[in-house]
């Protein structure tokens, strides 16, 4: 994996070092800063070692409860991995001008002019679409403009039409699918660049034009939608202040994240008087699986007992709650079947709780193993961390699985 290491990162790490208070955090940040400065010929040093040092510093900050430092180190890590763009990074942490000076006026003027020109372009395109589709509603116009924006990054400059630029329509979604294939099934140094090159060729466009049923485009669009939802879910799950309600909102409509054996969610959540399940999943055979949501990064999952890691009280309380739900479903199975058409005779439960970030001093494998051992002694109940669930869903998505 290629990483980015430059003056902006060095300046940011210097600021983090100054803000850190715990000696362990200062030492960890200093190690990352020394690595950046160890490059030769005036270059900053990056590589896998840099990401490891930043991750280690982030863990030290979490252990010391220095959460602002954790957030800053997370941004630094995202920047080295290319997930945070340089202009945003420099602007957020004021890395390109003096702390007490004015904001970057030159950059502000450039952005203002760009936004004004872009607004003119989208207005023109919207007017053109309305002229061609006089009966179009607002949602259709917005969808047209949104897709045009996605296609814009594949802008072309035809030799036969000098001083003009063309945006090929309908190319972005196919390019996303191509990028995923290259990234996960073929060894390519830069999948995004390769996908851009392939999709910008007339031959590739001809192949897409011949795809009458559009399955490739639909598949790519669904991959894109699910990837965005997973990114948002991971953001919420890694937020130590996120409530159970916030996590439930983030999971809304994402039944597919639990695996291909589920075909959807039941509309009715209050199946038993006095009980309301968080997420009622329906399996392919029509039976029910309930999901009980607990907090993520705010919950510590395991404790040491006689030389081994065992689940803490929060996990056992969640198990007890899930058992009560299942008992209620068993006792009311005939009424539930008649009223809602849901089979609860073989109902089971998933408890979604915690995140390894809450206990950085414990290896993630140890946490997962402790929960798996505990689950193996339970009947009809499975315990998962939010990270386990999200990682599994991302692996399935990377493999191109769209159920």
């Amino acid at each position: 994996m290629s990483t980015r290491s430059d003056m902006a990162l060095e300046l940011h790490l210097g600021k983090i070092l100054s803000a850190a208070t715990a000696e362990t955090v200062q030492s960890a940040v200093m190690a990352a800063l020394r690595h950046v400065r160890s490059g030769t010929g005036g270059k900053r040093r990056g590589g896998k070692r840099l990401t490891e040092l930043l991750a280690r510093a982030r863990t030290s900050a979490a252990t010391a409860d220095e959460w602002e430092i954790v957030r800053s180190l997370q941004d630094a890590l995202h920047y080295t991995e290319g997930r945070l763009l340089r202009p945003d990074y420099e602007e957020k942490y004021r890395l390109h001008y003096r702390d007490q000076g004015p904001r970057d006026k030159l950059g502000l003027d450039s952005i203002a002019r760009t936004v004004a020109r872009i607004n003119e372009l989208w207005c023109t395109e919207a007017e053109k679409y309305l002229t061609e589709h006089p009966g179009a509603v607002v949602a259709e116009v917005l969808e047209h403009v949104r897709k045009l924006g996605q296609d814009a990054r594949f802008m072309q400059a035809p030799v036969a039409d000098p001083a003009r630029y063309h945006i090929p329509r309908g190319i972005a979604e196919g390019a996303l699918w191509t990028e995923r294939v290259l990234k996960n099934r073929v060894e390519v140094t830069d999948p995004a660049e390769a996908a851009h090159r392939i999709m910008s060729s007339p031959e590739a466009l001809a192949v897409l034009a011949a795809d009458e049923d559009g399955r490739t485009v639909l598949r790519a669009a669904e991959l894109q939608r699910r990837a965005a939802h997973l990114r948002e879910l991971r953001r919420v799950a890694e937020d130590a202040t996120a409530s159970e309600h916030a996590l439930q909102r983030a999971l809304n409509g994402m039944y597919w994240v639990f695996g291909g054996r589920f075909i959807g969610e039941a509309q009715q959540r209050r199946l038993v008087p006095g009980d309301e399940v968080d997420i009622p999943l329906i399996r392919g055979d029509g039976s029910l699986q309930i999901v009980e949501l607990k907090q993520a990064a705010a919950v510590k999952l395991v404790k040491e007992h006689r030389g081994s890691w065992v689940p803490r009280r929060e996990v056992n309380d969640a198990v007890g709650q899930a058992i009560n739900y299942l008992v209620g479903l068993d006792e009311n199975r005939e009424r539930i079947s008649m009223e809602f058409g849901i089979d609860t005779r073989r109902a089971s439960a998933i408890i979604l709780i915690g995140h390894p970030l809450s206990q950085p001093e414990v290896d993630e494998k140890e946490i997962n193993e402790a929960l798996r051992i505990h689950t193996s002694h339970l009947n009809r109940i499975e315990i998962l961390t939010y990270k386990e669930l999200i990682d599994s869903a991302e692996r399935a998505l990377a493999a191109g699985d769209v159920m």
Side-chain angles (χ1 to χ4, degrees):
M1 177 183 68
S2 60
T3 57
R4 175 168 47 186
S5 182
D6 54 21
M7 180 180 289
L9 179 65
E10 183 179 353
L11 290 172
H12 187 207
L13 290 178
K15 290 191 173 197
I16 295 173
L17 182 62
S18 299
T21 57
E23 290 185 6
T24 54
V25 180
Q26 292 173 349
S27 176
V29 174
M30 191 63 218
L33 189 55
R34 279 197 299 265
H35 178 85
V36 170
R37 291 171 174 170
S38 65
T40 58
K43 294 182 179 179
R44 276 82 179 175
R45 188 178 175 192
K48 182 179 179 182
R49 178 61 178 165
L50 174 58
T51 61
E52 291 174 350
L53 290 170
L54 289 173
R56 190 175 302 169
R58 180 186 59 190
T59 300
S60 297
T63 304
D65 288 333
E66 295 193 29
W67 295 106
E68 286 301 322
I69 301 298
V70 171
R71 294 186 182 93
S72 290
L73 286 168
Q74 185 65 46
D75 282 342
L77 190 57
H78 282 172
Y79 179 66
T80 64
E81 295 172 342
R83 291 191 281 171
L84 181 60
L85 299 179
R86 181 169 182 169
D88 291 334
Y89 184 57
E90 291 180 334
E91 183 74 0
K92 182 174 182 179
Y93 292 103
R94 300 170 68 96
L95 300 175
H96 47 26
Y97 43 82
R98 294 180 180 178
D99 287 345
Q100 302 303 320
R103 297 189 66 177
D104 183 14
K105 189 175 185 305
L106 186 61
L108 179 62
D109 290 343
S110 176
I111 291 174
R113 289 194 299 272
T114 301
V115 170
R117 298 297 182 270
I118 290 174
N119 183 64
E120 291 178 10
L121 171 64
W122 296 148
C123 287
T124 300
E125 288 296 328
E127 291 171 354
K128 185 188 301 183
Y129 184 82
L130 286 171
T131 300
E132 297 172 354
H133 306 82
V137 297
V138 173
E140 292 172 330
V141 177
L142 291 176
E143 180 68 7
H144 170 76
V145 173
R146 183 186 66 81
K147 289 184 176 179
L148 182 63
Q150 293 175 346
D151 294 333
R153 70 189 185 101
F154 297 95
M155 188 177 293
Q156 299 173 1
V159 176
D161 198 356
R164 296 186 66 83
Y165 302 90
H166 297 170
I167 299 177
R169 296 307 316 275
I171 193 173
E173 292 179 340
L176 174 66
W177 181 85
T178 303
E179 180 181 338
R180 289 185 183 276
V181 171
L182 292 174
K183 182 176 181 180
N184 299 293
R185 304 177 192 177
V186 183
E187 285 196 18
V188 177
T189 304
D190 190 341
E193 190 278 332
H196 187 288
R197 186 174 61 254
I198 292 171
M199 298 305 298
S200 297
S201 70
E203 293 80 5
L205 289 175
V207 171
L208 282 182
D211 183 15
E212 296 181 358
D213 60 8
R215 283 178 297 178
T216 298
V217 172
L218 291 175
R219 182 183 181 85
E222 181 63 10
L223 285 170
Q224 184 182 45
R225 184 183 70 85
R226 292 188 178 186
H229 285 176
L230 280 176
R231 286 193 297 272
E232 174 61 15
L233 177 59
R234 186 179 290 279
R235 184 193 67 79
V236 177
E238 292 179 351
D239 182 358
T241 65
S243 64
E244 292 176 18
H245 184 61
L247 289 161
Q248 187 167 3
R249 284 201 310 269
L251 277 163
N252 183 41
M254 292 179 63
Y255 68 88
W256 49 267
V257 78
F258 296 96
R261 63 186 185 277
F262 301 108
I263 60 174
E265 296 180 32
Q267 295 298 315
Q268 183 67 31
R269 292 170 53 199
R270 190 178 293 275
L271 299 171
V272 176
D275 287 339
E276 183 172 282
V277 300
D278 292 327
I279 302 178
L281 299 175
I282 303 298
R283 297 194 193 92
D285 62 0
S287 60
L288 180 72
Q289 172 130 15
I290 64 172
V291 179
E292 175 62 22
L293 301 180
K294 297 299 179 185
Q295 285 186 295
V299 177
K300 294 183 181 295
L301 292 167
V302 296
K303 62 181 180 180
E304 195 169 7
H305 179 70
R306 296 181 179 179
S308 300
W309 294 106
V310 298
R312 295 171 65 97
R313 177 178 58 83
E314 291 83 353
V315 176
N316 292 318
D317 288 349
V319 170
Q321 187 176 355
I323 290 173
N324 289 336
Y325 284 157
L326 293 177
V327 170
L329 292 171
D330 287 343
E331 293 175 346
N332 293 270
R333 60 184 180 275
E334 292 183 1
R335 179 187 58 80
I336 294 172
S337 179
M338 290 180 60
E339 290 186 15
F340 307 114
I342 299 174
D343 182 4
T344 64
R345 289 177 301 170
R346 301 183 301 279
S348 54
I350 294 174
I351 297 172
L352 203 52
I353 183 171
H355 193 290
L357 282 177
S358 65
Q359 290 182 277
E361 74 279 7
V362 185
D363 188 273
E364 181 180 337
K365 292 181 180 178
E366 297 281 359
I367 294 175
N368 293 340
E369 181 67 15
L371 296 181
R372 274 194 290 270
I373 291 174
H374 194 58
T375 296
S376 68
H377 292 82
L378 299 174
N379 186 23
R380 299 163 62 187
I381 295 176
E382 181 181 7
I383 306 170
L384 288 174
T385 69
Y386 284 85
K387 187 174 187 300
E388 273 191 294
L389 178 74
I390 296 168
D391 287 350
S392 176
E394 286 186 341
R395 286 192 295 270
L397 206 61
D401 292 344
V402 179
M403 301 300 293

